[in-house]
Amino acid sequence: MATPTKLAHVVYMTRRFDEMLAWYQKVFEASVQYENPAVAFLTYDDEHHRFALLNMSAFDPEGVAGVMPIGVGVNHVGYTYANLGALLETYERLKQLGITPYWPVHHGVTLSIYYRDPDGNRMEFQVDCCADAAEANKFMHSAAFAANPVGVEIDPDALLAQYKRGVPVETLMVQPEGPAAPIPPEHGLSA
Ligand SMILES: [Fe+2]
């Protein structure tokens, strides 16, 4: 049996080409590998492109911007950071650029911070809280997960402050006690 060896890239169609290009460069510290008026390829590692942006104003000049569909298609794309420090430092860097998340939540399996790009495409920046897939699977079959599968809201500023004070990341990654986090409307699961 053959399965893919990795996820290669995500391609977004947009009518905010310049704004999207700037956002992906900032957020992912991505570099533009190739750009023309219709398409741009960007990467943030040794993959030749992690993103392509298609300028729909070039491909389809007469068209109009659509709205993000609700209840169909991709909800979000998730990215795992190496550790909590890298995630929190990214949160801080983006906040200084005026880019803020719409949903910081501890899912139990992951500590996650969700963002939307200028078009509203969602992405999840996360760190894994489980040592491996077996531990994650065990958690997802636990009573705790059954009682609250969404997770608990977190405060990234408080986590960042504690991280800077030297609180061990193992401590900061423990899911806080609390009620199930409300799913914000920006997450697109309801109109
Ligand atoms: Fe996710």
Side-chain angles (χ1 to χ4, degrees):
M1 218 172 84
T3 58
T5 56
K6 64 181 174 186
L7 177 65
H9 56 259
V10 183
V11 179
Y12 292 107
M13 297 179 285
T14 185
R15 289 183 187 275
R16 295 184 181 88
F17 190 63
D18 294 336
E19 204 185 333
M20 288 278 278
L21 195 50
W23 196 88
Y24 280 86
Q25 285 175 270
K26 276 190 271 190
V27 170
F28 288 88
E29 298 189 293
S31 57
V32 179
Q33 302 301 105
Y34 174 81
E35 182 186 354
N36 71 29
V39 64
F41 296 110
L42 301 96
T43 194
Y44 52 76
D45 61 10
D46 55 7
E47 185 72 21
H48 48 79
H49 68 285
R50 286 292 182 184
F51 303 108
L53 300 176
L54 304 179
N55 184 359
M56 295 310 290
S57 302
F59 285 103
D60 177 24
E62 304 304 315
V64 291
V67 292
M68 297 288 283
I70 289 177
V72 67
V74 174
N75 180 271
H76 64 271
V77 181
Y79 298 87
T80 300
Y81 280 74
N83 50 54
L84 184 63
L87 181 66
L88 291 173
E89 283 161 14
T90 300
Y91 164 78
E92 183 180 35
R93 185 178 64 79
L94 296 181
K95 189 179 175 186
Q96 287 164 354
L97 294 170
I99 297 169
T100 53
Y102 70 88
W103 196 24
V105 59
H106 195 307
H107 286 306
V109 178
T110 62
L111 189 158
S112 299
I113 304 180
Y114 290 86
Y115 289 85
R116 289 192 305 175
D117 74 14
D119 274 341
N121 300 297
R122 298 174 206 90
M123 41 219 80
E124 174 181 12
F125 294 164
Q126 65 175 34
V127 281
D128 264 307
C129 299
C130 297
D132 51 31
E135 194 182 316
N137 286 330
K138 196 176 155 203
F139 177 80
M140 285 189 278
H141 290 90
S142 69
F145 187 76
N148 177 9
V150 174
V152 179
E153 213 160 77
I154 50 170
D155 178 348
D157 289 308
L159 286 173
L160 180 65
Q162 292 175 76
Y163 171 72
K164 286 183 171 179
R165 281 205 308 274
V167 178
V169 289
E170 299 74 34
T171 306
L172 298 177
M173 281 174 67
V174 173
Q175 189 176 38
E177 297 283 331
I183 300 173
E186 294 93 331
H187 205 50
L189 300 185
S190 56

